[in-house]
Amino acid sequence: MNNNISKKFISMLLLAAFAGSNVLLSSFAMENEVQETPPVLRSGESNFTMRLKGDVNYINSDDPITLSLRDSDILQVLRMFADKAGMNIVFHNSVEGKVTLDLVDVPLNTAFDMIIGINNLSYVVENNTIIVAKSSAKDFNMAKQDMSIIPVKYISASTLADFLNKNIFAAQKPGLSGTEIVTTNPSTNELIIFGSVNDVSVARKVIEKFDKKPTTTTFKVNHTTPKEMADMVCKMLLPATGSSGGSSTGGASGIMTGAASSSSSGSSGSSSSKSSGGSSGGGGSSLTLNSGTVACTINSKSSGQVAALGVQNISVAYYPQLGTINVIGGSESQLNMIKEFIKDTDKKQPQAYLEVSIVELNEDGQKELSNNWKIWSKVFSGSFDGETSTNSLYPNFFAGNSYSIVDDKGTVQQTISKYTGPLTITYMINYLVKNKKARVVVNPRIVITNGVESKIDVTQDYLESVEINSSTSTGGTVVTRDYNVSDDQGVQVSITPFISPDGYVTLNIKPEYSTEIGKVEGKEEISGKVVEYTAATLLSHRNLDLKNVRIKDGETLVIAGMIQEHETKTVSKIPVLGDLPVVGGMFRNTLSHKDKSEMMILITPKIITDNDDAVENTDTL
């Protein structure tokens, strides 16, 4: 019995000694604690890191601590930390659990953050008191309802508030409020924060990082149009994550709010859907100076559960009148990339002086041989002048000698009588040869640029069709005519060149030639009268589409052989007599008609050498 009591007493002494040694070791280690320096916001363009936690400064000692605990109550551990720091501590009823740790040479603040983080706790510091609660506690709001107002200078306060609420404050960060606490004052572009000192401190660091005046970089374009260069920059260099375009005018400063914006050099401007400018006065038209157009705006996008900042990354605008491209925003690497791209692609394009001759040769020939017979007698009268018929003045009477033609009023207009004279036979011969030749020449001279389509248009308007509409009203019949006019009668030539350095010009040629061949007439009866009108105009088309035709500098390409030929022959004769040999030709009429046309295209390119003299000569052509 006495041995059992002795064993229990010895065990109690050993436990007490072990507990006392742990307390002494912990106290000694805490005295060697070192204060952690608060994170400093670095202003560099890269490798920026900001601590998204609240800052609690316990003591001024720089000595680290060494601590070893096993299954210790989280409340007692945090009380021990607060006691050593000389601060008060208050726990919400949601704080519970145990912690096991082995720390060697770790600052007190870092150890505190580790314990808070792994136990999903949050805290705020107010008046030397630490308030700790479970991050998921629904009946306790860590945000202290102190209102702070922070002005935002350059970017939109609303987009910045959304970024802070979703990515920082609502993300359950230790030492920060676990709910959305930021709103805005749109009229003054200010952030309104309902939170603790730590919340305001983190918000100020974020604003300091992102609220910067956007930079505008101007690039001069010499040989390519600003619009083409801006389109290439947007489509070939920048990621197509989102773009919008519109016109804007330079010179007006404003706040960039994430929409497409453009500006002149040194200033930013808000975009609009139309170019604006001052009124020109009495004419009522507007005059726009230095107007620019937004080619694309690249905006940030959210990735997964991380909300985007909501401001533009880079915006590209072009100014045709100034010959410049303005890039708003962008990193130094992006700007260097754009600069090198413009330098490599903004090159002088080769040009050529092109002489084009379009010749149409028309030949129209007609040969006519006609025999005209007429006969008058008391028994029979008739005629043959290409058609066999009776004489209308002296028809053949089988009964009676004459008749009269009377109008509606009973007036005799004409009397037709039987021929009473002697037998009369007449003969006439008509032989006619017609030849008509025409030559139509179109001879334009133009300067063409490498890879750019040029078009020669020598056409005229013509009446394609007429539409007649009639309507009846109380005043009578109203007739309206709608005239449809087209403008493609003539010559059109499209030419796209490729000028190679070895003295050859490769052309894509598409000539189109249209001529009128006739009209279709229509008739319509209106109010008892027959009205004639042009229902349609018929055109003859001769088109070619030639690809990759290679011509040496100074040589002439001839495109010929586009011949159109039409030939007709009409024969009329008196039956039986017209078929007789030899003499049958006297009783036949022959009409031959031949129409022939040919179009030729002659193209002579002359490459313009890249020197001042050649440029001056080109200007005088």
Side-chain angles (χ1 to χ4, degrees):
M1 181 71 178
N2 291 332
N3 290 334
N4 292 334
I5 294 174
S6 298
K7 290 180 180 180
K8 290 180 179 180
F9 181 75
I10 293 173
S11 299
M12 292 175 61
L13 289 176
L14 291 175
L15 289 174
F18 180 78
S21 64
N22 281 341
V23 172
L24 290 175
L25 181 60
S26 301
S27 300
F28 177 78
M30 288 183 182
E31 291 178 356
N32 296 327
E33 171 257 353
V34 63
Q35 180 183 7
E36 180 188 11
T37 303
V40 179
L41 182 66
R42 291 177 289 182
S43 58
E45 292 296 331
S46 61
N47 299 326
F48 171 76
T49 303
M50 187 179 72
R51 184 185 182 200
L52 296 180
K53 292 183 180 180
D55 293 330
V56 179
N57 297 323
Y58 297 103
I59 57 178
N60 296 324
S61 174
D62 291 334
D63 297 332
I65 65 168
T66 299
L67 182 64
S68 178
L69 298 175
R70 296 292 182 273
D71 293 330
S72 299
D73 184 41
I74 185 66
L75 297 175
Q76 300 303 323
V77 174
L78 293 178
R79 287 180 62 190
M80 180 174 58
F81 277 46
D83 181 65
K84 186 60 182 175
M87 300 184 69
N88 302 318
I89 189 166
V90 177
F91 296 100
H92 184 255
N93 57 13
S94 60
V95 180
E96 60 181 0
K98 295 184 179 297
V99 62
T100 298
L101 55 86
D102 287 293
L103 301 177
V104 178
D105 294 336
V106 177
L108 178 60
N109 289 337
T110 303
F112 180 82
D113 287 341
M114 291 179 179
I115 295 173
I116 289 292
I118 63 175
N119 287 276
N120 195 23
L121 301 176
S122 185
Y123 67 92
V124 293
V125 179
E126 184 176 346
N127 296 329
N128 202 39
T129 300
I130 306 174
I131 304 173
V132 184
K134 203 75 172 179
S135 297
S136 58
K138 297 181 180 180
D139 57 344
F140 180 76
N141 186 4
M142 297 299 297
K144 309 303 295 181
Q145 299 303 309
D146 295 333
M147 186 176 74
S148 300
I149 298 178
I150 304 177
V152 181
K153 295 180 180 180
Y154 302 108
I155 66 176
S156 170
S158 61
T159 58
L160 195 55
D162 185 67
F163 178 81
L164 290 171
N165 283 328
K166 294 182 178 179
N167 292 331
I168 298 178
F169 297 121
Q172 306 295 335
K173 303 294 184 182
L176 301 178
S177 299
T179 184
E180 297 183 0
I181 60 172
V182 185
T183 186
T184 63
N185 181 0
S187 62
T188 58
N189 202 48
E190 294 175 330
L191 288 180
I192 303 176
I193 301 176
F194 297 93
S196 65
V197 176
N198 280 335
D199 296 331
V200 176
S201 176
V202 171
R204 288 187 184 276
K205 294 176 182 179
V206 173
I207 295 172
E208 182 181 354
K209 175 61 182 177
F210 297 113
D211 187 26
K212 295 181 180 180
K213 183 178 181 179
T215 58
T216 301
T217 307
T218 302
F219 298 96
K220 185 71 175 178
V221 179
N222 296 316
H223 307 294
T224 308
T225 64
K227 181 181 184 302
E228 292 175 340
M229 183 60 70
D231 289 342
M232 287 192 293
V233 170
C234 291
K235 295 177 181 178
M236 300 177 66
L237 294 186
L238 303 180
T241 57
S243 62
S244 59
S247 298
S248 64
T249 55
S253 62
I255 297 175
M256 297 177 59
T257 59
S261 303
S262 65
S263 68
S264 63
S265 178
S267 63
S268 62
S270 300
S271 68
S272 60
S273 59
K274 295 182 179 179
S275 297
S276 61
S279 176
S280 62
S285 61
S286 61
L287 177 64
T288 303
L289 298 178
N290 298 342
S291 63
T293 302
V294 176
C296 63
T297 297
I298 309 302
N299 299 317
S300 57
K301 282 188 174 182
S302 60
S303 176
Q305 298 180 351
V306 179
L309 182 58
V311 296
Q312 69 190 53
N313 175 39
I314 188 171
S315 181
V316 180
Y318 60 90
Y319 290 78
Q321 294 176 334
L322 299 178
T324 59
I325 293 175
N326 282 10
V327 179
I328 301 176
S331 65
E332 183 178 355
S333 299
Q334 286 177 316
L335 296 176
N336 287 334
M337 178 178 62
I338 295 174
K339 180 180 178 180
E340 293 175 0
F341 179 80
I342 294 177
K343 181 180 178 181
D344 294 337
T345 57
D346 187 27
K347 302 289 187 180
K348 272 187 179 180
Q349 292 296 321
Q351 289 184 320
Y353 170 66
L354 196 68
E355 182 176 352
V356 181
S357 296
I358 302 174
V359 182
E360 184 191 23
L361 302 177
N362 293 318
E363 183 178 351
D364 188 358
Q366 180 175 314
K367 183 183 295 186
E368 180 180 359
L369 174 62
S370 62
N371 297 282
N372 190 344
W373 292 87
K374 294 184 183 296
I375 182 172
W376 291 272
S377 68
K378 297 179 181 179
V379 179
F380 174 80
S381 65
S383 65
F384 172 74
D385 53 358
E387 294 182 359
T388 302
S389 65
T390 58
N391 195 314
S392 59
L393 295 177
Y394 301 101
N396 296 314
F397 283 83
F398 293 96
N401 295 317
S402 65
Y403 65 91
S404 299
I405 300 175
V406 182
D407 60 11
D408 297 337
K409 297 180 180 179
T411 303
V412 176
Q413 298 292 327
Q414 188 178 7
T415 300
I416 305 300
S417 302
K418 183 178 180 181
Y419 180 76
T420 58
L423 175 64
T424 303
I425 300 175
T426 63
Y427 170 73
M428 292 185 295
I429 184 172
N430 183 21
Y431 182 72
L432 179 65
V433 177
K434 293 181 180 180
N435 286 315
K436 182 177 69 173
K437 294 183 179 181
R439 185 170 181 257
V440 180
V441 179
V442 180
N443 188 211
R445 294 172 172 86
I446 59 174
V447 175
I448 55 177
T449 302
N450 189 33
V452 179
E453 182 183 18
S454 299
K455 190 171 185 179
I456 302 171
D457 191 342
V458 187
T459 57
Q460 60 185 7
D461 296 343
Y462 67 96
L463 183 61
E464 184 179 24
S465 62
V466 180
E467 297 179 4
I468 296 181
N469 302 311
S470 60
S471 60
T472 304
S473 61
T474 55
T477 302
V478 179
V479 180
T480 60
R481 290 180 173 87
D482 295 330
Y483 296 92
N484 300 319
V485 178
S486 294
D487 58 358
D488 58 346
Q489 180 179 338
V491 179
Q492 297 182 26
V493 181
S494 299
I495 301 174
T496 304
F498 173 72
I499 305 171
S500 62
D502 59 353
Y504 283 87
V505 179
T506 303
L507 300 175
N508 290 339
I509 310 170
K510 189 175 182 180
E512 299 178 357
Y513 185 40
S514 303
T515 56
E516 181 179 332
I517 59 174
K519 295 182 180 293
V520 177
E521 301 294 337
K523 295 182 180 180
E524 184 171 343
E525 184 175 352
I526 301 175
S527 300
K529 296 182 179 180
V530 177
V531 179
E532 295 183 355
Y533 60 95
T534 300
T537 300
L538 304 179
L539 297 181
S540 173
H541 299 276
R542 275 172 282 182
N543 302 333
L544 288 176
D545 192 357
L546 306 178
K547 302 291 187 181
N548 299 328
V549 180
R550 195 163 180 257
I551 314 172
K552 192 174 183 180
D553 180 24
E555 294 185 351
T556 300
L557 170 68
V558 179
I559 302 174
M562 290 182 288
I563 301 175
Q564 186 175 10
E565 188 172 353
H566 183 254
E567 184 175 357
T568 59
K569 184 176 182 180
T570 304
V571 178
S572 58
K573 60 184 177 179
I574 298 176
V576 181
L577 296 177
D579 297 327
L580 294 176
V582 183
V583 297
M586 300 178 62
F587 302 97
R588 290 195 300 266
N589 288 347
T590 304
L591 177 62
S592 300
H593 184 270
K594 185 177 182 180
D595 185 6
K596 180 180 180 181
S597 64
E598 179 180 5
M599 187 177 71
M600 296 189 303
I601 301 176
L602 293 84
I603 299 176
T604 305
K606 298 179 181 179
I607 299 176
I608 300 174
T609 56
D610 191 9
N611 54 56
D612 295 337
D613 293 336
V615 173
E616 291 177 0
N617 293 334
T618 302
D619 294 338
T620 60
L621 293 176

CSV table of all heavy atoms in Angstrom, one decimal, residues 359-365 435-441 513 515 542 562 564 594-599:
chain,number,residue,atom,x,y,z
A,359,VAL,N,-8.2,49.0,-127.0
A,359,VAL,CA,-8.6,49.4,-128.4
A,359,VAL,C,-9.7,48.4,-128.8
A,359,VAL,O,-9.6,47.2,-128.7
A,359,VAL,CB,-7.4,49.3,-129.3
A,359,VAL,CG1,-7.8,49.7,-130.8
A,359,VAL,CG2,-6.3,50.2,-128.9
A,360,GLU,N,-10.8,49.0,-129.4
A,360,GLU,CA,-11.9,48.2,-129.9
A,360,GLU,C,-12.0,48.6,-131.4
A,360,GLU,O,-12.2,49.7,-131.8
A,360,GLU,CB,-13.2,48.4,-129.2
A,360,GLU,CG,-14.3,47.5,-129.8
A,360,GLU,CD,-15.7,47.9,-129.3
A,360,GLU,OE1,-15.9,49.1,-129.0
A,360,GLU,OE2,-16.5,47.0,-129.3
A,361,LEU,N,-11.9,47.5,-132.3
A,361,LEU,CA,-12.0,47.7,-133.7
A,361,LEU,C,-13.3,47.2,-134.1
A,361,LEU,O,-13.6,46.0,-133.9
A,361,LEU,CB,-10.8,47.0,-134.4
A,361,LEU,CG,-9.4,47.5,-134.0
A,361,LEU,CD1,-8.4,46.6,-134.8
A,361,LEU,CD2,-9.2,48.9,-134.3
A,362,ASN,N,-14.2,48.0,-134.8
A,362,ASN,CA,-15.5,47.6,-135.3
A,362,ASN,C,-15.5,47.7,-136.8
A,362,ASN,O,-15.1,48.7,-137.4
A,362,ASN,CB,-16.6,48.5,-134.7
A,362,ASN,CG,-16.7,48.3,-133.2
A,362,ASN,OD1,-16.7,47.2,-132.7
A,362,ASN,ND2,-16.9,49.4,-132.4
A,363,GLU,N,-16.0,46.7,-137.4
A,363,GLU,CA,-16.2,46.7,-138.9
A,363,GLU,C,-17.6,46.2,-139.2
A,363,GLU,O,-18.0,45.1,-138.8
A,363,GLU,CB,-15.2,45.8,-139.5
A,363,GLU,CG,-15.2,45.8,-141.0
A,363,GLU,CD,-14.2,44.9,-141.7
A,363,GLU,OE1,-13.3,44.5,-140.9
A,363,GLU,OE2,-14.2,44.7,-142.9
A,364,ASP,N,-18.4,47.1,-139.9
A,364,ASP,CA,-19.8,46.8,-140.2
A,364,ASP,C,-19.9,46.9,-141.7
A,364,ASP,O,-19.8,48.0,-142.3
A,364,ASP,CB,-20.7,47.8,-139.5
A,364,ASP,CG,-22.2,47.4,-139.6
A,364,ASP,OD1,-22.4,46.4,-140.3
A,364,ASP,OD2,-23.0,48.1,-139.0
A,365,GLY,N,-20.3,45.8,-142.4
A,365,GLY,CA,-20.4,45.8,-143.8
A,365,GLY,C,-21.8,45.3,-144.2
A,365,GLY,O,-22.3,44.4,-143.6
A,435,ASN,N,-19.9,50.0,-146.1
A,435,ASN,CA,-18.8,49.6,-145.2
A,435,ASN,C,-18.6,50.7,-144.1
A,435,ASN,O,-18.5,51.9,-144.4
A,435,ASN,CB,-17.4,49.4,-146.0
A,435,ASN,CG,-17.5,48.2,-146.8
A,435,ASN,OD1,-17.9,47.1,-146.3
A,435,ASN,ND2,-17.0,48.3,-148.1
A,436,LYS,N,-18.5,50.2,-142.9
A,436,LYS,CA,-18.4,51.2,-141.8
A,436,LYS,C,-17.3,50.6,-140.8
A,436,LYS,O,-17.4,49.5,-140.4
A,436,LYS,CB,-19.7,51.4,-141.0
A,436,LYS,CG,-19.5,52.4,-139.9
A,436,LYS,CD,-20.9,52.7,-139.2
A,436,LYS,CE,-21.3,51.5,-138.4
A,436,LYS,NZ,-22.6,51.8,-137.6
A,437,LYS,N,-16.3,51.4,-140.5
A,437,LYS,CA,-15.2,51.0,-139.6
A,437,LYS,C,-15.2,52.0,-138.5
A,437,LYS,O,-15.3,53.2,-138.7
A,437,LYS,CB,-13.9,50.9,-140.3
A,437,LYS,CG,-13.8,49.8,-141.4
A,437,LYS,CD,-12.5,49.7,-142.0
A,437,LYS,CE,-12.4,48.6,-143.0
A,437,LYS,NZ,-11.1,48.4,-143.6
A,438,ALA,N,-14.9,51.5,-137.3
A,438,ALA,CA,-14.8,52.4,-136.1
A,438,ALA,C,-13.7,51.9,-135.2
A,438,ALA,O,-13.3,50.7,-135.2
A,438,ALA,CB,-16.1,52.4,-135.3
A,439,ARG,N,-13.1,52.8,-134.5
A,439,ARG,CA,-12.0,52.5,-133.6
A,439,ARG,C,-12.2,53.3,-132.3
A,439,ARG,O,-12.2,54.5,-132.3
A,439,ARG,CB,-10.6,52.9,-134.2
A,439,ARG,CG,-9.4,52.5,-133.5
A,439,ARG,CD,-8.2,52.7,-134.3
A,439,ARG,NE,-7.0,52.3,-133.7
A,439,ARG,CZ,-6.1,53.1,-133.1
A,439,ARG,NH1,-6.3,54.5,-133.3
A,439,ARG,NH2,-5.0,52.7,-132.6
A,440,VAL,N,-12.3,52.6,-131.2
A,440,VAL,CA,-12.5,53.2,-129.9
A,440,VAL,C,-11.2,52.9,-129.1
A,440,VAL,O,-10.8,51.7,-129.0
A,440,VAL,CB,-13.7,52.6,-129.2
A,440,VAL,CG1,-13.9,53.2,-127.8
A,440,VAL,CG2,-15.0,52.8,-130.0
A,441,VAL,N,-10.6,53.9,-128.6
A,441,VAL,CA,-9.4,53.8,-127.8
A,441,VAL,C,-9.5,54.4,-126.4
A,441,VAL,O,-10.0,55.6,-126.3
A,441,VAL,CB,-8.2,54.5,-128.6
A,441,VAL,CG1,-6.9,54.4,-127.8
A,441,VAL,CG2,-8.0,53.9,-129.9
A,513,TYR,N,-15.7,44.7,-120.4
A,513,TYR,CA,-16.2,45.6,-121.4
A,513,TYR,C,-17.6,45.3,-121.8
A,513,TYR,O,-18.0,44.2,-122.1
A,513,TYR,CB,-15.2,45.5,-122.7
A,513,TYR,CG,-15.5,46.4,-123.8
A,513,TYR,CD1,-15.8,47.8,-123.5
A,513,TYR,CD2,-15.5,46.0,-125.1
A,513,TYR,CE1,-16.0,48.7,-124.5
A,513,TYR,CE2,-15.7,46.9,-126.1
A,513,TYR,CZ,-16.0,48.3,-125.8
A,513,TYR,OH,-16.2,49.2,-126.8
A,515,THR,N,-21.0,46.7,-124.0
A,515,THR,CA,-21.6,47.6,-125.1
A,515,THR,C,-23.1,47.3,-125.3
A,515,THR,O,-23.5,46.2,-125.0
A,515,THR,CB,-20.8,47.4,-126.4
A,515,THR,OG1,-20.9,46.0,-126.8
A,515,THR,CG2,-19.4,47.8,-126.3
A,542,ARG,N,-17.8,41.4,-122.5
A,542,ARG,CA,-16.6,40.7,-122.8
A,542,ARG,C,-15.7,40.9,-121.6
A,542,ARG,O,-15.1,42.0,-121.4
A,542,ARG,CB,-16.0,41.2,-124.1
A,542,ARG,CG,-16.5,40.5,-125.3
A,542,ARG,CD,-16.0,41.1,-126.6
A,542,ARG,NE,-16.7,42.4,-126.9
A,542,ARG,CZ,-16.4,43.1,-127.9
A,542,ARG,NH1,-15.5,42.7,-128.8
A,542,ARG,NH2,-17.1,44.2,-128.1
A,562,MET,N,-10.1,38.7,-128.7
A,562,MET,CA,-11.5,38.8,-128.2
A,562,MET,C,-12.4,39.3,-129.3
A,562,MET,O,-12.7,40.5,-129.4
A,562,MET,CB,-11.6,39.6,-126.9
A,562,MET,CG,-10.9,39.0,-125.7
A,562,MET,SD,-11.1,39.9,-124.2
A,562,MET,CE,-10.0,41.3,-124.6
A,564,GLN,N,-15.7,39.3,-131.8
A,564,GLN,CA,-17.1,39.0,-131.9
A,564,GLN,C,-17.6,39.3,-133.3
A,564,GLN,O,-17.5,40.4,-133.8
A,564,GLN,CB,-17.9,39.8,-130.9
A,564,GLN,CG,-19.4,39.4,-130.8
A,564,GLN,CD,-20.1,40.2,-129.7
A,564,GLN,OE1,-19.5,41.2,-129.1
A,564,GLN,NE2,-21.3,39.9,-129.4
A,594,LYS,N,-22.7,41.9,-142.3
A,594,LYS,CA,-21.6,41.3,-141.5
A,594,LYS,C,-21.1,42.4,-140.5
A,594,LYS,O,-20.8,43.5,-140.9
A,594,LYS,CB,-20.5,40.9,-142.5
A,594,LYS,CG,-19.3,40.2,-141.8
A,594,LYS,CD,-18.3,39.7,-142.7
A,594,LYS,CE,-17.2,39.0,-142.0
A,594,LYS,NZ,-16.1,38.5,-143.0
A,595,ASP,N,-21.1,42.0,-139.3
A,595,ASP,CA,-20.7,42.8,-138.2
A,595,ASP,C,-19.5,42.1,-137.4
A,595,ASP,O,-19.7,41.0,-137.0
A,595,ASP,CB,-21.8,43.1,-137.2
A,595,ASP,CG,-21.5,44.1,-136.2
A,595,ASP,OD1,-20.4,44.7,-136.2
A,595,ASP,OD2,-22.3,44.4,-135.3
A,596,LYS,N,-18.4,42.8,-137.3
A,596,LYS,CA,-17.2,42.2,-136.6
A,596,LYS,C,-16.6,43.2,-135.7
A,596,LYS,O,-16.4,44.4,-136.1
A,596,LYS,CB,-16.2,41.7,-137.7
A,596,LYS,CG,-15.0,41.1,-137.1
A,596,LYS,CD,-14.0,40.7,-138.2
A,596,LYS,CE,-12.8,40.1,-137.7
A,596,LYS,NZ,-11.8,39.7,-138.8
A,597,SER,N,-16.3,42.8,-134.5
A,597,SER,CA,-15.6,43.7,-133.5
A,597,SER,C,-14.5,42.9,-132.8
A,597,SER,O,-14.7,41.7,-132.5
A,597,SER,CB,-16.6,44.3,-132.5
A,597,SER,OG,-17.2,43.3,-131.7
A,598,GLU,N,-13.4,43.6,-132.5
A,598,GLU,CA,-12.3,43.0,-131.7
A,598,GLU,C,-11.8,43.9,-130.7
A,598,GLU,O,-11.7,45.1,-131.0
A,598,GLU,CB,-11.2,42.6,-132.7
A,598,GLU,CG,-10.0,41.9,-132.0
A,598,GLU,CD,-8.9,41.6,-133.0
A,598,GLU,OE1,-9.0,41.9,-134.2
A,598,GLU,OE2,-7.9,41.0,-132.5
A,599,MET,N,-11.5,43.4,-129.5
A,599,MET,CA,-11.0,44.2,-128.4
A,599,MET,C,-9.6,43.8,-128.1
A,599,MET,O,-9.3,42.6,-127.9
A,599,MET,CB,-11.9,44.2,-127.2
A,599,MET,CG,-11.4,45.2,-126.1
A,599,MET,SD,-12.5,45.2,-124.7
A,599,MET,CE,-12.2,43.6,-123.9
